[in-house]
mmCIF file of all heavy atoms in Angstrom:
data_model
loop_
_atom_site.group_PDB
_atom_site.id
_atom_site.type_symbol
_atom_site.label_atom_id
_atom_site.label_comp_id
_atom_site.label_asym_id
_atom_site.label_seq_id
_atom_site.Cartn_x
_atom_site.Cartn_y
_atom_site.Cartn_z
ATOM 1 N N ASN C 70 131.400 120.645 111.650
ATOM 2 C CA ASN C 70 132.416 119.681 111.477
ATOM 3 C C ASN C 70 133.783 120.340 111.329
ATOM 4 O O ASN C 70 134.925 119.845 111.719
ATOM 5 C CB ASN C 70 132.154 118.702 110.331
ATOM 6 C CG ASN C 70 131.043 117.824 110.691
ATOM 7 O OD1 ASN C 70 130.600 117.683 111.784
ATOM 8 N ND2 ASN C 70 130.379 117.264 109.532
ATOM 9 N N PHE C 71 133.737 121.487 110.615
ATOM 10 C CA PHE C 71 135.047 122.093 110.263
ATOM 11 C C PHE C 71 135.564 123.024 111.297
ATOM 12 O O PHE C 71 136.763 123.205 111.548
ATOM 13 C CB PHE C 71 134.838 122.893 108.933
ATOM 14 C CG PHE C 71 136.103 123.605 108.449
ATOM 15 C CD1 PHE C 71 137.010 122.921 107.665
ATOM 16 C CD2 PHE C 71 136.120 124.938 108.550
ATOM 17 C CE1 PHE C 71 138.145 123.617 107.165
ATOM 18 C CE2 PHE C 71 137.309 125.646 108.022
ATOM 19 C CZ PHE C 71 138.281 124.888 107.274
ATOM 20 N N VAL C 72 134.627 123.736 111.976
ATOM 21 C CA VAL C 72 134.898 124.858 112.904
ATOM 22 C C VAL C 72 134.898 124.350 114.287
ATOM 23 O O VAL C 72 135.609 125.051 115.093
ATOM 24 C CB VAL C 72 133.976 126.072 112.669
ATOM 25 C CG1 VAL C 72 134.392 127.280 113.465
ATOM 26 C CG2 VAL C 72 134.046 126.600 111.224
ATOM 27 N N PHE C 73 134.233 123.344 114.750
ATOM 28 C CA PHE C 73 133.970 123.031 116.124
ATOM 29 C C PHE C 73 133.622 124.268 116.837
ATOM 30 O O PHE C 73 134.282 124.589 117.926
ATOM 31 C CB PHE C 73 135.348 122.423 116.626
ATOM 32 C CG PHE C 73 135.786 121.134 115.990
ATOM 33 C CD1 PHE C 73 136.522 121.222 114.896
ATOM 34 C CD2 PHE C 73 135.401 119.990 116.512
ATOM 35 C CE1 PHE C 73 136.944 119.966 114.191
ATOM 36 C CE2 PHE C 73 135.779 118.799 115.886
ATOM 37 C CZ PHE C 73 136.539 118.814 114.745
ATOM 38 N N PRO C 74 132.539 124.902 116.452
ATOM 39 C CA PRO C 74 132.190 126.222 117.025
ATOM 40 C C PRO C 74 131.855 126.185 118.550
ATOM 41 O O PRO C 74 131.090 125.227 118.964
ATOM 42 C CB PRO C 74 131.025 126.759 116.264
ATOM 43 C CG PRO C 74 130.412 125.546 115.625
ATOM 44 C CD PRO C 74 131.555 124.504 115.581
ATOM 45 N N ARG C 75 132.274 127.099 119.341
ATOM 46 C CA ARG C 75 131.848 127.239 120.745
ATOM 47 C C ARG C 75 130.820 128.416 120.863
ATOM 48 O O ARG C 75 129.809 128.297 121.368
ATOM 49 C CB ARG C 75 133.101 127.392 121.678
ATOM 50 C CG ARG C 75 132.699 127.310 123.148
ATOM 51 C CD ARG C 75 133.769 127.688 123.969
ATOM 52 N NE ARG C 75 134.614 126.488 124.222
ATOM 53 C CZ ARG C 75 135.976 126.447 124.371
ATOM 54 N NH1 ARG C 75 136.723 127.530 124.356
ATOM 55 N NH2 ARG C 75 136.599 125.315 124.543
ATOM 56 N N ARG C 76 131.351 129.386 120.336
ATOM 57 C CA ARG C 76 130.478 130.718 120.384
ATOM 58 C C ARG C 76 130.671 131.538 119.024
ATOM 59 O O ARG C 76 131.666 131.364 118.425
ATOM 60 C CB ARG C 76 130.830 131.624 121.486
ATOM 61 C CG ARG C 76 130.681 130.984 122.878
ATOM 62 C CD ARG C 76 131.504 131.749 124.043
ATOM 63 N NE ARG C 76 130.858 132.994 124.312
ATOM 64 C CZ ARG C 76 131.572 134.045 124.591
ATOM 65 N NH1 ARG C 76 132.869 134.045 124.622
ATOM 66 N NH2 ARG C 76 130.910 135.236 124.996
ATOM 67 N N MET C 77 129.645 132.204 118.612
ATOM 68 C CA MET C 77 129.675 132.989 117.468
ATOM 69 C C MET C 77 129.367 134.428 117.747
ATOM 70 O O MET C 77 128.416 134.647 118.496
ATOM 71 C CB MET C 77 128.853 132.536 116.396
ATOM 72 C CG MET C 77 129.003 131.121 115.970
ATOM 73 S SD MET C 77 127.831 130.587 114.652
ATOM 74 C CE MET C 77 128.189 128.890 114.523
ATOM 75 N N ALA C 78 130.106 135.410 117.075
ATOM 76 C CA ALA C 78 129.643 136.753 117.171
ATOM 77 C C ALA C 78 128.395 137.003 116.318
ATOM 78 O O ALA C 78 128.158 136.236 115.439
ATOM 79 C CB ALA C 78 130.841 137.725 116.612
ATOM 80 N N VAL C 79 127.620 138.040 116.573
ATOM 81 C CA VAL C 79 126.412 138.275 115.778
ATOM 82 C C VAL C 79 126.993 138.765 114.362
ATOM 83 O O VAL C 79 127.751 139.680 114.238
ATOM 84 C CB VAL C 79 125.689 139.390 116.354
ATOM 85 C CG1 VAL C 79 124.472 139.861 115.451
ATOM 86 C CG2 VAL C 79 125.172 139.014 117.829
ATOM 87 N N PRO C 80 126.500 138.076 113.246
ATOM 88 C CA PRO C 80 126.805 138.465 112.039
ATOM 89 C C PRO C 80 126.411 139.906 111.667
ATOM 90 O O PRO C 80 125.330 140.205 112.124
ATOM 91 C CB PRO C 80 126.223 137.565 111.115
ATOM 92 C CG PRO C 80 125.902 136.371 111.957
ATOM 93 C CD PRO C 80 125.641 136.911 113.336
ATOM 94 N N ASN C 81 127.268 140.592 110.902
ATOM 95 C CA ASN C 81 126.901 142.089 110.642
ATOM 96 C C ASN C 81 127.159 142.354 109.144
ATOM 97 O O ASN C 81 127.951 141.588 108.522
ATOM 98 C CB ASN C 81 127.698 142.992 111.474
ATOM 99 C CG ASN C 81 127.140 144.314 111.433
ATOM 100 O OD1 ASN C 81 126.017 144.652 110.968
ATOM 101 N ND2 ASN C 81 127.883 145.349 111.960
ATOM 102 N N PHE C 82 126.473 143.453 108.640
ATOM 103 C CA PHE C 82 126.741 143.864 107.356
ATOM 104 C C PHE C 82 127.984 144.524 107.177
ATOM 105 O O PHE C 82 128.409 145.304 108.023
ATOM 106 C CB PHE C 82 125.622 144.861 106.868
ATOM 107 C CG PHE C 82 124.440 144.173 106.464
ATOM 108 C CD1 PHE C 82 123.303 144.394 107.258
ATOM 109 C CD2 PHE C 82 124.306 143.449 105.265
ATOM 110 C CE1 PHE C 82 121.978 143.856 106.771
ATOM 111 C CE2 PHE C 82 123.127 142.774 104.923
ATOM 112 C CZ PHE C 82 121.888 142.980 105.619
ATOM 113 N N ALA C 83 128.683 144.339 105.947
ATOM 114 C CA ALA C 83 129.857 145.269 105.609
ATOM 115 C C ALA C 83 129.621 145.646 104.104
ATOM 116 O O ALA C 83 129.241 144.636 103.337
ATOM 117 C CB ALA C 83 131.225 144.533 105.858
ATOM 118 N N ARG C 84 129.771 146.941 103.856
ATOM 119 C CA ARG C 84 129.358 147.342 102.420
ATOM 120 C C ARG C 84 130.450 148.173 101.972
ATOM 121 O O ARG C 84 130.971 149.160 102.666
ATOM 122 C CB ARG C 84 128.051 148.128 102.491
ATOM 123 C CG ARG C 84 127.426 148.367 101.060
ATOM 124 C CD ARG C 84 126.170 149.120 101.145
ATOM 125 N NE ARG C 84 126.435 150.435 101.636
ATOM 126 C CZ ARG C 84 125.389 151.314 102.106
ATOM 127 N NH1 ARG C 84 124.218 150.873 102.149
ATOM 128 N NH2 ARG C 84 125.774 152.532 102.508
ATOM 129 N N TYR C 85 131.139 147.842 100.806
ATOM 130 C CA TYR C 85 132.126 148.623 100.204
ATOM 131 C C TYR C 85 131.592 149.158 98.882
ATOM 132 O O TYR C 85 131.235 148.432 97.993
ATOM 133 C CB TYR C 85 133.282 147.654 99.937
ATOM 134 C CG TYR C 85 133.897 147.085 101.077
ATOM 135 C CD1 TYR C 85 133.326 146.009 101.775
ATOM 136 C CD2 TYR C 85 135.065 147.651 101.694
ATOM 137 C CE1 TYR C 85 133.903 145.541 102.880
ATOM 138 C CE2 TYR C 85 135.780 147.217 102.736
ATOM 139 C CZ TYR C 85 135.148 146.079 103.486
ATOM 140 O OH TYR C 85 135.693 145.700 104.565
ATOM 141 N N GLU C 86 131.497 150.530 98.794
ATOM 142 C CA GLU C 86 131.211 151.177 97.577
ATOM 143 C C GLU C 86 132.509 151.603 96.842
ATOM 144 O O GLU C 86 133.606 151.411 97.378
ATOM 145 C CB GLU C 86 130.392 152.534 98.007
ATOM 146 C CG GLU C 86 129.126 152.051 98.658
ATOM 147 C CD GLU C 86 128.393 153.261 99.236
ATOM 148 O OE1 GLU C 86 128.629 154.405 98.757
ATOM 149 O OE2 GLU C 86 127.425 152.981 99.979
ATOM 150 N N ALA C 87 132.350 152.146 95.652
ATOM 151 C CA ALA C 87 133.417 152.382 94.790
ATOM 152 C C ALA C 87 134.423 153.311 95.583
ATOM 153 O O ALA C 87 134.046 154.280 96.266
ATOM 154 C CB ALA C 87 132.987 153.116 93.547
ATOM 155 N N GLY C 88 135.720 152.876 95.608
ATOM 156 C CA GLY C 88 136.786 153.574 96.404
ATOM 157 C C GLY C 88 137.044 153.105 97.713
ATOM 158 O O GLY C 88 137.927 153.514 98.414
ATOM 159 N N MET C 89 136.114 152.283 98.219
ATOM 160 C CA MET C 89 136.345 151.679 99.569
ATOM 161 C C MET C 89 137.212 150.603 99.655
ATOM 162 O O MET C 89 137.287 149.832 98.603
ATOM 163 C CB MET C 89 135.016 151.456 100.192
ATOM 164 C CG MET C 89 134.187 152.730 100.623
ATOM 165 S SD MET C 89 132.660 152.236 101.298
ATOM 166 C CE MET C 89 132.055 153.850 101.990
ATOM 167 N N LYS C 90 137.823 150.290 100.747
ATOM 168 C CA LYS C 90 138.629 149.060 100.943
ATOM 169 C C LYS C 90 138.833 148.806 102.424
ATOM 170 O O LYS C 90 138.535 149.686 103.233
ATOM 171 C CB LYS C 90 140.016 149.307 100.245
ATOM 172 C CG LYS C 90 140.915 150.453 100.863
ATOM 173 C CD LYS C 90 142.095 150.589 100.052
ATOM 174 C CE LYS C 90 142.855 151.925 100.438
ATOM 175 N NZ LYS C 90 143.456 151.931 101.844
ATOM 176 N N TYR C 91 139.560 147.751 102.735
ATOM 177 C CA TYR C 91 139.978 147.426 104.080
ATOM 178 C C TYR C 91 141.396 146.934 103.828
ATOM 179 O O TYR C 91 141.611 145.784 103.549
ATOM 180 C CB TYR C 91 139.026 146.530 104.785
ATOM 181 C CG TYR C 91 139.201 146.391 106.315
ATOM 182 C CD1 TYR C 91 138.219 145.664 107.002
ATOM 183 C CD2 TYR C 91 140.274 146.938 106.947
ATOM 184 C CE1 TYR C 91 138.533 145.567 108.388
ATOM 185 C CE2 TYR C 91 140.447 146.797 108.363
ATOM 186 C CZ TYR C 91 139.394 146.081 109.101
ATOM 187 O OH TYR C 91 139.632 145.990 110.495
ATOM 188 N N GLY C 92 142.308 147.774 104.285
ATOM 189 C CA GLY C 92 143.805 147.426 104.132
ATOM 190 C C GLY C 92 144.134 146.225 104.908
ATOM 191 O O GLY C 92 143.491 145.728 105.789
ATOM 192 N N ALA C 93 145.464 145.710 104.767
ATOM 193 C CA ALA C 93 145.894 144.550 105.329
ATOM 194 C C ALA C 93 145.780 144.715 106.962
ATOM 195 O O ALA C 93 146.221 145.649 107.464
ATOM 196 C CB ALA C 93 147.394 144.277 105.019
ATOM 197 N N HIS C 94 145.238 143.648 107.511
ATOM 198 C CA HIS C 94 145.045 143.717 108.996
ATOM 199 C C HIS C 94 144.924 142.290 109.514
ATOM 200 O O HIS C 94 144.663 141.354 108.752
ATOM 201 C CB HIS C 94 143.805 144.479 109.348
ATOM 202 C CG HIS C 94 142.535 143.917 108.913
ATOM 203 N ND1 HIS C 94 142.114 143.872 107.606
ATOM 204 C CD2 HIS C 94 141.621 143.089 109.636
ATOM 205 C CE1 HIS C 94 140.977 143.331 107.420
ATOM 206 N NE2 HIS C 94 140.700 142.890 108.712
ATOM 207 N N THR C 95 145.150 142.074 110.794
ATOM 208 C CA THR C 95 144.786 140.820 111.417
ATOM 209 C C THR C 95 143.525 141.111 112.403
ATOM 210 O O THR C 95 143.442 142.152 113.079
ATOM 211 C CB THR C 95 145.919 140.429 112.465
ATOM 212 O OG1 THR C 95 147.109 140.436 111.611
ATOM 213 C CG2 THR C 95 145.698 139.013 112.969
ATOM 214 N N ASP C 96 142.669 140.248 112.384
ATOM 215 C CA ASP C 96 141.467 140.367 113.315
ATOM 216 C C ASP C 96 141.979 140.256 114.646
ATOM 217 O O ASP C 96 142.802 139.493 115.006
ATOM 218 C CB ASP C 96 140.455 139.189 112.991
ATOM 219 C CG ASP C 96 139.896 139.310 111.563
ATOM 220 O OD1 ASP C 96 139.580 140.425 111.080
ATOM 221 O OD2 ASP C 96 139.690 138.168 110.911
ATOM 222 N N VAL C 97 141.412 141.057 115.573
ATOM 223 C CA VAL C 97 141.976 141.155 116.955
ATOM 224 C C VAL C 97 141.554 139.759 117.576
ATOM 225 O O VAL C 97 140.640 139.180 117.220
ATOM 226 C CB VAL C 97 141.173 142.362 117.632
ATOM 227 C CG1 VAL C 97 139.758 142.073 117.935
ATOM 228 C CG2 VAL C 97 141.968 142.794 118.880
ATOM 229 N N ALA C 98 142.361 139.527 118.651
ATOM 230 C CA ALA C 98 142.337 138.138 119.213
ATOM 231 C C ALA C 98 141.050 137.981 120.079
ATOM 232 O O ALA C 98 140.390 136.961 119.984
ATOM 233 C CB ALA C 98 143.482 137.881 120.134
ATOM 234 N N PHE C 99 140.578 139.006 120.750
ATOM 235 C CA PHE C 99 139.451 138.945 121.575
ATOM 236 C C PHE C 99 138.475 139.946 121.364
ATOM 237 O O PHE C 99 138.906 141.157 121.259
ATOM 238 C CB PHE C 99 139.743 138.871 123.176
ATOM 239 C CG PHE C 99 140.425 137.592 123.532
ATOM 240 C CD1 PHE C 99 141.797 137.347 123.243
ATOM 241 C CD2 PHE C 99 139.643 136.549 124.005
ATOM 242 C CE1 PHE C 99 142.349 136.118 123.679
ATOM 243 C CE2 PHE C 99 140.115 135.315 124.284
ATOM 244 C CZ PHE C 99 141.563 135.062 124.091
#
Side-chain angles (χ1 to χ4, degrees):
Chain C
N70 294 340
F71 180 80
V72 181
F73 298 86
R75 183 184 282 144
R76 299 162 75 215
M77 296 184 188
V79 177
N81 194 9
F82 280 114
R84 194 178 68 194
Y85 294 79
E86 299 171 12
M89 288 180 169
K90 66 184 165 70
Y91 192 169
H94 67 281
T95 306
D96 296 325
V97 73
F99 285 87

